[in-house]
Amino acid sequence: MSLVDVTDLTVAFGALRAVDGLSFRLEKGAALGLVGESGSGKSTVASALLGLHRGTGARVGGSIEVAGVDVQEASDEALRRLRGAKAAMVFQDPLSSLDPYYAIGDQIAEVHRVHTRVSRRAARARAVEVLERVGIPDAVRRSRSRPHEFSGGMRQRALIAMALACEPDLLIADEPTTALDVTVQAQILDLLHTLREETGMGLLLVTHDVGVAAESVDEVLVMRHGRLVEHGPAATVLASPAQAYTRELLGAVPRVDARREGVSEEAASGVCGEVVLEAAGLRREFGRGKRAFAAVDGVSLTVRRGETLGVVGESGSGKTTLGRMLVGLLPPTAGEVRHAGRVSAGVHPTVQMVFQDPVSSLNPRRSVGESIADPLRARGERDETHIRGRVTELLERVGLKAAHYDRYPHEFSGGQRQRVGIARALAADPRVIVCDEPVSALDVTTQAQVVALLGELQRELGLALVFVAHDLAVVRQVSDRVAVMRHGRVVEEGLADDVYEAPRHPYTKQLLAAVPALDPAVAAERRAGRREPAVP
């Protein structure tokens, strides 16, 4: 009997059919990747396996059997026994899945007690045991920490520990590495692989990242518009896809081993005209006294007209703090920022920023047109007809419509909201745009569209871009030069092709080794290589 057996699954929300006639099986100990763009229905499938649509108004049809339980026919009590004990789920955002008021160990212990009826002491001991198993150092002490005291990667490990508390037969991981930097992502994927080997549990991995699937699963099921497009062994589907959509999806994946297309001779030589932005000895400290630390420590960079400087590094490397100082949103503790050779303090109109999360950077109570118009009004524009006309031009330039002026942020997809953010940055007629993780939460096809848009704007307007990201493949795709940051300092800088093809610093080599490979055989080799000691 299969661990998971799904036949003709349909899930509808009103008139929308999110899943349409999907069938698949997952055997014990195997790993299946559900891959597709945002809105393809993959997360809806994952929720259906645990009966999470019950009571929501969704209409679920077809047959779902998980670990011997008929999910469609099971009582509410039977579903509660299934969830956590036989099948557990790890969600995308650990902060929204963990109670901020309770210690991590207490939350894991509570899950264990619900399903096993053991004593509080035994449940606490089990919590420490699973935290150790997922690689949390000093697990006894850290079990008493609350979620905000953990890093993003450690919170994800804690969620996996909670899922393992009752030794489930099936682990469902819904986008478990989204927004994690490349080395932490590799650690989480390696952890899932090791746990599967050690426990024999089955793994259903939901992801929009084809590279993540290649690192982790035996079979791949590609979804689009709620339907199955292609299903087969990971090596076969990824190496020689049979369907055009799968080929399109793979074609949108940025490659860390591919040179940037369309680079001018000037850009390739590292000479792109006048220096438009310069950082000289930038340092930024947070905290006071003994608790003070330098998030950025002595960074000097130049950005020339028409070029893209990529800034890469792990979470906590200081790259976002650097980007905010370049824009003027953060004053440096020491050093200076120069625009066209002149020292500048505060926000400078010629340097604008595109933020990582367009939802938090757009006012939900104002139309996107009004948000885009802010820079125009800030520099003294008062003619409302002219303002609306200019905003309409910008909307259309970034691939949106004039009618979108009066719509609100919640009415747009993630990729569309990022286009709004780019239009707002362009409204100030900048010479430089600092992009802070602008595509980190987007699926690969939407990501490719936003990257292509930035490239078009750069070529047409002569813009300089500072592209801050943890995704090394995306950075190579867009950058002329690259600066690698670690612990607040630039450890390596040079032409993108030189840094990627012949890295000098051990840390750069370590970052590149952590990038997911689309070939499962190569992924296995890299996984084995990552077991070597990391750079201290």
Side-chain angles (χ1 to χ4, degrees):
M1 182 178 66
S2 300
L3 178 60
V4 176
D5 193 343
V6 173
T7 305
D8 198 26
L9 173 64
T10 61
V11 182
F13 302 93
L16 173 66
R17 182 164 286 199
V19 181
D20 189 2
L22 185 69
S23 300
F24 66 89
R25 289 183 177 182
L26 175 64
E27 305 302 326
K28 293 179 180 179
L32 172 66
L34 289 187
V35 179
E37 299 172 275
S38 298
S40 62
K42 56 190 186 296
S43 291
T44 303
V45 173
S47 295
L49 297 185
L50 295 181
L52 296 178
H53 297 302
R54 184 172 293 187
T56 67
R59 302 190 309 278
V60 182
S63 170
I64 310 168
E65 191 170 295
V66 177
V69 176
D70 186 332
V71 175
Q72 292 285 71
E73 301 297 328
S75 65
D76 290 346
E77 178 59 31
L79 280 182
R80 281 193 289 270
R81 289 196 300 269
L82 171 69
R83 299 165 186 161
K86 293 184 178 181
M89 193 164 183
V90 176
F91 293 92
Q92 176 176 346
D93 181 10
L95 268 183
S96 63
S97 305
L98 295 167
D99 193 315
Y101 295 103
Y102 292 95
I104 292 287
D106 289 341
Q107 296 184 56
I108 297 173
E110 181 64 22
V111 169
H112 189 54
R113 290 192 72 214
V114 164
H115 291 286
T116 61
R117 308 296 182 184
V118 299
S119 67
R120 289 183 182 276
R121 176 176 291 183
R124 286 284 305 177
R126 176 60 177 167
V128 171
E129 179 185 339
V130 291
L131 284 171
E132 288 178 337
R133 192 173 195 176
V134 298
I136 299 292
D138 196 5
V140 173
R141 180 179 65 85
R142 296 314 301 266
S143 70
R144 296 189 288 270
S145 300
R146 288 172 172 76
H148 73 274
E149 298 176 272
F150 277 31
S151 67
M154 287 180 65
R155 283 194 292 265
Q156 201 61 282
R157 287 175 183 267
L159 271 189
I160 294 172
M162 186 180 293
L164 293 175
C166 299
E167 299 184 350
D169 298 319
L170 171 67
L171 181 65
I172 302 171
D174 187 5
E175 300 280 10
T177 62
T178 297
L180 296 179
D181 61 57
V182 65
T183 51
V184 178
Q185 173 180 272
Q187 291 165 10
I188 296 299
L189 296 177
D190 289 351
L191 172 63
L192 291 174
H193 182 83
T194 300
L195 290 171
R196 188 161 65 91
E197 284 185 333
E198 292 177 352
T199 67
M201 69 179 183
L203 173 66
L204 182 73
L205 179 68
V206 176
T207 181
H208 67 257
D209 191 325
V210 183
V212 166
E215 288 272 332
S216 314
V217 301
D218 310 312
E219 295 187 355
V220 170
L221 191 159
V222 180
M223 292 187 67
R224 189 185 193 194
H225 303 325
R227 296 184 177 183
L228 184 153
V229 173
E230 188 163 356
H231 182 194
T236 302
V237 172
L238 299 180
S240 53
Q243 300 300 318
Y245 175 69
T246 309
R247 293 193 291 273
E248 179 185 324
L249 202 61
L250 287 167
V253 177
R255 308 296 178 99
V256 76
D257 57 352
R259 291 190 168 208
R260 182 185 182 186
E261 295 181 2
V263 183
S264 67
E265 291 184 10
E266 283 187 330
S269 66
V271 180
C272 304
E274 64 177 312
V275 173
V276 291
L277 181 63
E278 188 175 6
L282 283 187
R283 180 180 175 88
R284 174 68 195 198
E285 296 178 356
F286 292 97
R288 294 181 179 179
K290 293 181 179 179
R291 295 188 176 182
F293 73 97
V296 173
D297 187 8
V299 170
S300 297
L301 295 169
T302 59
V303 184
R304 295 178 173 85
R305 184 179 185 274
E307 79 164 343
T308 299
L309 173 66
V311 181
V312 298
E314 297 173 282
S315 298
S317 63
K319 57 188 187 296
T320 292
T321 301
L322 173 64
R324 288 175 177 269
M325 284 194 288
L326 294 177
V327 176
L329 296 176
L330 277 176
T333 306
E336 58 190 28
V337 177
R338 305 181 190 126
H339 298 102
R342 296 181 179 181
V343 177
S344 176
V347 177
H348 197 282
T350 65
V351 183
Q352 295 294 310
M353 194 165 199
V354 175
F355 295 90
Q356 176 177 358
D357 182 7
V359 175
S360 62
S361 62
L362 294 171
N363 189 329
R365 293 185 174 89
R366 301 179 70 211
S367 72
V368 298
E370 289 300 299
S371 291
I372 295 170
D374 282 342
L376 300 174
R377 295 195 174 101
R379 69 185 186 191
E381 290 279 358
R382 293 293 179 265
D383 185 336
E384 290 301 316
T385 301
H386 178 266
I387 288 173
R388 191 174 185 100
R390 176 60 177 150
V391 171
T392 297
E393 288 177 11
L394 290 169
L395 284 168
E396 292 175 342
R397 182 61 199 84
V398 299
L400 298 174
K401 298 178 181 178
H404 287 146
Y405 186 108
D406 297 308
R407 294 188 184 178
Y408 291 82
H410 72 273
E411 299 179 80
F412 293 86
S413 68
Q416 287 177 320
R417 284 193 290 261
Q418 202 56 286
R419 290 172 185 267
V420 171
I422 294 170
R424 183 174 59 179
L426 292 174
D429 293 326
R431 303 186 74 187
V432 183
I433 296 181
V434 177
C435 303
D436 184 17
E437 300 278 10
V439 297
S440 64
L442 304 178
D443 60 55
V444 289
T445 50
T446 306
Q447 174 179 282
Q449 292 164 7
V450 171
V451 165
L453 172 62
L454 288 170
E456 289 173 13
L457 294 170
Q458 182 180 37
R459 289 188 293 273
E460 289 180 14
L461 304 175
L463 292 169
L465 298 179
V466 179
F467 200 95
V468 178
H470 65 259
D471 189 325
L472 277 79
V474 172
V475 169
R476 179 160 197 188
Q477 185 181 14
V478 302
S479 302
D480 303 306
R481 292 187 299 117
V482 172
V484 181
M485 289 192 69
R486 188 173 192 234
H487 300 330
R489 298 184 176 183
V490 173
V491 298
E492 185 163 359
E493 181 185 0
L495 295 177
D497 291 336
D498 293 343
V499 172
Y500 278 80
E501 294 172 11
R504 300 186 305 274
H505 197 279
Y507 176 68
T508 309
K509 296 176 183 177
Q510 181 179 313
L511 283 179
L512 291 169
V515 176
L518 287 177
D519 184 337
V522 174
E525 289 179 11
R526 290 185 179 180
R527 187 183 304 116
R530 288 195 293 266
R531 292 173 182 168
E532 299 297 321
V535 176

